[in-house]
Amino acid sequence: MKFMQAGRWMAAVSLIGLAASAAAAQDAAAIMKRAVQAIQNARTYQAVWQMTTSMGQMGSMTMKMEIKKSGNKTAMKMSPVGQPTGMMAMGATMANMQMVDDGKTSWVYLAGMNGYMKQPSQASNRPNPAQMMGIGGQEATYKLLRTEQVGGKPAYVIQVIPKNANDPRLRNMQNLQVLAYVDKATGRTRQMRMSGTMSGPQGQSQPMNINMIIQNEQVNVPIPDSVFKFTPPTGAKQMKGGMGMPGPGMAPGGGRP
């Protein structure tokens, strides 16, 4: 009799545990959805994102991304911070760029080449902060891990688990872990971390770590139209040919929840 009672008690505890796990998963998805929708539904968005990437023997670099968006107009400037090391120094040079899209025309200026590209505006070519930050939707599931202090404020730590291992953005990636840090009070994403291993030169596996911190974020603050006007820097030449425009998919599973 006592054995049967103990069995029923253990079964009840197991069911409670399963229910709690399901609720946590739903809560994590809801937290991420709200964080992304806060940007998707905003009339204007502007922020500075600072992203540090390290890849073992290949070196490291830190890039600052200044993003401004108003309706279908977007402006983004990427520039290196500090001194990049190893092979990443070349990547920092190529990533030193400016993009302006006024809703009709897109321009991309590459500082390392002092050249720019121009083409008709397309939604797929505009950096989309919500998609870049969301890492989600039907392409990922979410798991609430814990809370941590970020900038002196408590934040949810949510693991983002991409569903599609064949996603081209995950090519050559192993042991991938993506964490999103969402401010408990505001429901806004404050930081993102990605770690794993990636194939390097001669097929050697390299550890990879990316840490992105979101700074000076403002929503629904007016942005002057002059921000979305492009003037080629002195001496810059227009480049023709097969160099494509950068798209918004800057993170694994960068879809919408």
Side-chain angles (χ1 to χ4, degrees), residues 23-45:
Q26 292 172 0
D27 289 346
I31 291 168
M32 287 299 297
K33 184 175 182 178
R34 285 193 295 269
V36 174
Q37 285 182 336
I39 300 174
Q40 282 179 337
N41 298 335
R43 296 187 304 276
T44 69
Y45 177 86

Side-chain angles (χ1 to χ4, degrees), residues 154-172:
Y156 298 110
V157 182
I158 297 174
Q159 183 179 6
V160 183
I161 307 167
K163 289 182 178 180
N164 185 4
N166 296 318
D167 190 315
R169 289 165 291 189
L170 305 180
R171 190 175 295 130
N172 299 326

Side-chain angles (χ1 to χ4, degrees), residues 13-225:
V13 170
S14 298
L15 289 172
I16 292 171
L18 289 172
S21 297
Q26 292 172 0
D27 289 346
I31 291 168
M32 287 299 297
K33 184 175 182 178
R34 285 193 295 269
V36 174
Q37 285 182 336
I39 300 174
Q40 282 179 337
N41 298 335
R43 296 187 304 276
T44 69
Y45 177 86
Q46 49 192 324
V48 175
W49 296 7
Q50 186 158 300
M51 184 167 62
T52 299
T53 304
S54 63
M55 290 189 64
Q57 297 179 358
M58 295 181 67
S60 64
M61 68 176 181
T62 298
M63 300 296 296
K64 180 172 73 171
M65 293 187 290
E66 301 172 72
I67 302 172
K68 299 191 178 192
K69 187 176 187 302
S70 177
N72 63 349
K73 301 177 182 179
T74 308
M76 182 177 74
K77 183 179 180 181
M78 293 181 64
S79 54
V81 176
Q83 185 64 43
T85 63
M87 295 177 65
M88 299 292 277
M90 183 181 297
T93 299
M94 293 300 297
N96 188 0
M97 58 167 283
Q98 178 186 5
M99 178 178 183
V100 177
D101 189 313
D102 64 3
K104 297 179 180 178
T105 306
S106 290
W107 294 268
V108 173
Y109 171 71
L110 302 177
M113 298 181 176
N114 197 24
Y116 65 94
M117 295 168 283
K118 175 183 176 182
Q119 74 173 32
S121 174
Q122 298 180 37
S124 60
N125 285 333
R126 299 182 204 126
N128 186 321
Q131 290 184 6
M132 292 158 65
M133 190 182 296
I135 314 182
Q138 297 179 352
E139 300 177 11
T141 57
Y142 304 96
K143 182 178 181 181
L144 181 58
L145 300 182
R146 57 187 179 274
T147 59
E148 283 186 15
Q149 295 290 314
V150 176
K153 298 180 180 179
Y156 298 110
V157 182
I158 297 174
Q159 183 179 6
V160 183
I161 307 167
K163 289 182 178 180
N164 185 4
N166 296 318
D167 190 315
R169 289 165 291 189
L170 305 180
R171 190 175 295 130
N172 299 326
M173 293 286 299
Q174 297 87 36
N175 307 315
L176 178 67
Q177 183 179 60
V178 181
L179 301 177
Y181 296 74
V182 181
D183 190 291
K184 289 183 70 173
T186 65
R188 308 296 292 278
T189 306
R190 297 267 64 88
Q191 183 174 340
M192 302 201 73
R193 291 180 180 270
M194 182 189 303
S195 62
T197 56
M198 190 172 186
S199 297
Q202 291 82 45
Q204 296 176 348
S205 184
Q206 299 285 337
M208 182 203 70
N209 291 281
I210 298 175
N211 183 35
M212 187 179 77
I213 300 174
I214 300 166
Q215 305 169 330
N216 304 328
E217 190 177 60
Q218 299 181 72
V219 175
N220 295 332
V221 175
I223 302 174
D225 281 341

